[in-house]
Amino acid sequence: MATVIIVGSQWGDEGKGKIVDIYTEYADEVVRFQGGNNAGHTLVVGNETTVMHIIPSGILHAGKRCLIGNGVVLDPQVFFQEAEMLKAKGYFQDDAQLVIDPAVNIIMPYHRAIDIAREKKAGCRKIGTTGRGIGPVYEDKVGRRGIRLGDLVHGQVFAAKLREVLPEKNFLLEKFLGEAPLEEASIYDEYMAYGESLRKYLGNTSRILNDGIASGHNVLFEGAQGTLLDIDHGTYPFVTSSSTVAGGACTGTGVGPCRIDAVVGIAKAYVTRVGEGPLPTELQDETGELLRREGHEYGATTGRPRRTGWLDMVALKKGVEINGLTGIALTKLDVLNQMASIRICTAYRCDGQLVDEFPPDVDMLTRCEPVWEEVPGWRCDISGTTCMEDLPRQARFFIDTVEKMSGCPVVLVSVGPRRDQTIQIVNPFGLRD
Ligand code: IMP
């Protein structure tokens, strides 16, 4: 039996979808624990690419139980679109494959409207959100005025909550944000219908997971976004609104920390970021463009071009520490194929001082300049390599350097988007390949 948490160790988009898909093979249950459809997990099976935003990536494996834990926020409209897309592709043929916790908070139309309007009003001070209503729905959750899935399936409870909350939202939309108010009756009808259709997925995910663990199941916790977008530990305020770190897997599912065996942090061989906020190793030149082009660095959710930069070890070391990583899955190594030499940021220089700790505040981070170590590139195509021994010496040196600098073993190397473009070094479920 093993329980493994997967988290993004940088600013999201590290290639979690593919790794979750690979590890799902060993898992009995796969569970999402935070975030919503701001996530975009891209999976390539054979020649087919599937992008998932809310349903756990494990759904591509028939017979694996997928769960949406209490820490997630769910947009029913997006959920049903995604479910339909999956069913049309021949996946998710059995509704019993998915369970959604009744404590999941529902993304309502006013959450999306407020998210978009606030960003518009903020102008150049915007966060650069995905516009999916994530911040506003988590605000309501913490403010104890959220509408949960359990409410949607009880018409009277839902009606009463909506009646109470909507006037406040419309006041904000109209009077402060200058947007049109929303109409209660149409929201009620639309969401009551969603509630009816979602009823069949309802289940106590905490109980299912704890029972599964007790009976020897392997469980995979599928994180979304990344450590530096965490509401507490990220580059606040340029973060998402959930706990993206490993600790979030426990609160977001109701599984205790002592039940967790391994935490794998997904890290790209370089960095990217979408939205605003500091990115100390950012490249605004041809090399940055090359990384964007070779790595197809465009948002899976919004299509926005991602900002790109060299690997930042100060940031990654913070990811190792905060998540208690037991292993790193190093992804997109093949994107560096053409580089004659590769830079790694080992520390920052800030206000004349050498800094090797990720700064706690965003203003300081903005003033940080990277200190580089340069390692040789391999200048050949490694995308067909399936074992460490076949990697060029320089690529192995790069991996060794990441391990030494981070103090964390690299347990997997990804050299392309397909399942077979993967070098598994250690299987976190304890089953060696
Ligand atoms: P929100 O999560 O839509 O509120 O966006 C807040 C910040 O997190 C923005 O900078 C987004 O670009 C970023 N973000 C949210 N989800 C993801 C993701 O899945 N990958 C990368 N960045 C994300």
Side-chain angles (χ1 to χ4, degrees):
M1 179 276 277
T3 50
V4 178
I5 299 174
I6 285 192
V7 290
S9 349
Q10 294 154 325
W11 282 273
D13 308 316
E14 298 94 349
K16 288 181 290 295
K18 170 182 162 168
I19 310 306
V20 171
D21 182 48
I22 287 170
Y23 288 162
T24 296
E25 206 176 298
Y26 313 108
D28 298 289
E29 277 96 22
V30 182
V31 56
R32 276 272 313 256
F33 55 87
Q34 47 70 229
N37 57 300
N38 47 347
H41 292 172
T42 305
L43 291 101
V44 181
V45 181
N47 293 323
E48 188 186 66
T49 300
T50 306
V51 181
M52 240 113 59
H53 300 286
I54 187 67
I55 298 178
S57 308
I59 205 80
L60 300 196
H61 297 246
K64 306 280 174 177
R65 199 124 194 238
C66 293
L67 302 103
I68 298 183
N70 57 276
V72 173
V73 290
L74 184 112
D75 186 326
Q77 204 179 3
V78 175
F79 170 82
F80 285 113
Q81 278 165 8
E82 195 162 298
E84 223 168 89
M85 175 274 290
L86 288 165
K87 285 170 191 276
K89 284 186 170 196
Y91 302 114
F92 192 18
Q93 301 298 303
D94 179 4
D95 281 323
Q97 200 185 344
L98 182 73
V99 179
I100 311 179
D101 198 89
V104 156
N105 271 248
I106 299 296
I107 300 178
M108 301 295 293
Y110 45 81
H111 293 131
R112 289 191 299 264
I114 291 169
D115 191 4
I116 292 165
R118 274 204 190 122
E119 285 282 276
K120 194 165 96 187
K121 193 174 165 80
C124 62
R125 290 174 298 99
K126 69 178 195 278
I127 304 287
T129 72
T130 59
R132 303 303 193 251
I134 304 299
V137 70
Y138 276 114
E139 278 172 42
D140 279 358
K141 172 180 173 168
V142 177
R144 294 159 296 184
R145 54 181 171 264
I147 293 175
R148 314 205 299 182
L149 178 55
D151 303 325
L152 267 195
V153 298
H154 294 111
Q156 284 177 349
V157 179
F158 173 51
K161 283 202 161 186
L162 184 64
R163 189 154 310 135
E164 201 177 312
V165 83
L166 194 61
E168 191 183 319
K169 302 300 172 191
N170 277 339
F171 183 82
L172 178 63
L173 278 168
E174 265 191 293
K175 303 277 188 276
F176 185 69
L177 297 167
E179 300 292 327
L182 301 172
E183 204 220 331
E184 186 183 315
S186 62
I187 298 179
Y188 178 78
D189 290 345
E190 184 184 351
Y191 279 72
M192 272 302 287
Y194 290 143
E196 261 327 294
S197 309
L198 285 166
R199 190 185 293 279
K200 58 177 170 285
Y201 299 111
L202 267 186
N204 182 340
T205 57
S206 165
R207 167 61 56 80
I208 293 170
L209 291 169
N210 281 298
D211 283 353
I213 293 168
S215 62
H217 284 190
N218 286 340
V219 178
L220 184 62
F221 296 80
E222 175 180 357
Q225 291 86 44
T227 301
L228 297 162
L229 292 173
D230 181 86
I231 185 70
D232 291 291
H233 302 285
T235 51
Y236 191 89
F238 301 100
V239 292
T240 190
S241 299
S242 64
S243 291
T244 62
V245 296
C250 294
T251 55
T253 60
V255 172
C258 292
R259 300 277 172 275
I260 306 300
D261 298 304
V263 184
V264 177
I266 318 297
K268 255 193 297 224
Y270 50 97
V271 295
T272 61
R273 173 165 205 164
V274 267
E276 309 305 313
L279 184 65
T281 62
E282 184 163 11
L283 290 163
Q284 284 167 321
D285 58 9
E286 272 172 30
T287 310
E289 191 46 51
L290 181 77
L291 289 174
R292 189 172 303 111
R293 197 173 56 243
E294 291 297 307
H296 308 290
E297 297 297 354
Y298 295 89
T301 300
T302 58
R304 291 180 289 179
R306 295 177 185 143
R307 298 154 63 193
T308 54
W310 292 117
L311 182 61
D312 182 340
M313 288 308 300
V314 187
L316 185 53
K317 277 194 292 190
K318 173 164 171 145
V320 171
E321 185 172 286
I322 296 220
N323 294 297
L325 294 189
T326 55
I328 290 174
L330 191 65
T331 59
K332 294 195 150 186
L333 192 63
D334 56 302
V335 173
L336 303 180
N337 279 347
Q338 297 176 34
M339 305 291 178
S341 68
I342 296 162
R343 284 183 160 192
I344 299 175
C345 167
T346 56
Y348 303 138
R349 197 167 293 286
C350 184
D351 306 331
Q353 305 277 335
L354 199 65
V355 178
D356 64 359
E357 224 172 71
F358 199 78
D361 80 278
V362 88
D363 290 335
M364 183 174 169
L365 188 61
T366 310
R367 297 196 306 278
C368 283
E369 294 286 331
V371 174
W372 303 114
E373 184 162 319
E374 202 136 343
V375 296
W378 41 94
R379 304 204 83 172
C380 64
D381 184 9
I382 59 166
S383 62
T385 314
T386 53
C387 64
M388 286 296 279
E389 295 70 37
D390 291 347
L391 278 176
R393 177 175 46 82
Q394 298 90 332
R396 289 207 306 271
F397 182 73
F398 180 83
I399 297 165
D400 286 349
T401 306
V402 170
E403 280 194 336
K404 276 202 196 93
M405 286 183 179
S406 66
C408 184
V410 171
V411 295
L412 180 150
V413 179
S414 173
V415 293
R418 292 195 319 268
R419 280 179 185 167
D420 60 352
Q421 293 176 301
T422 310
I423 305 170
Q424 280 224 54
I425 304 164
V426 179
N427 183 325
F429 285 100
L431 314 163
R432 258 180 193 276
D433 251 25

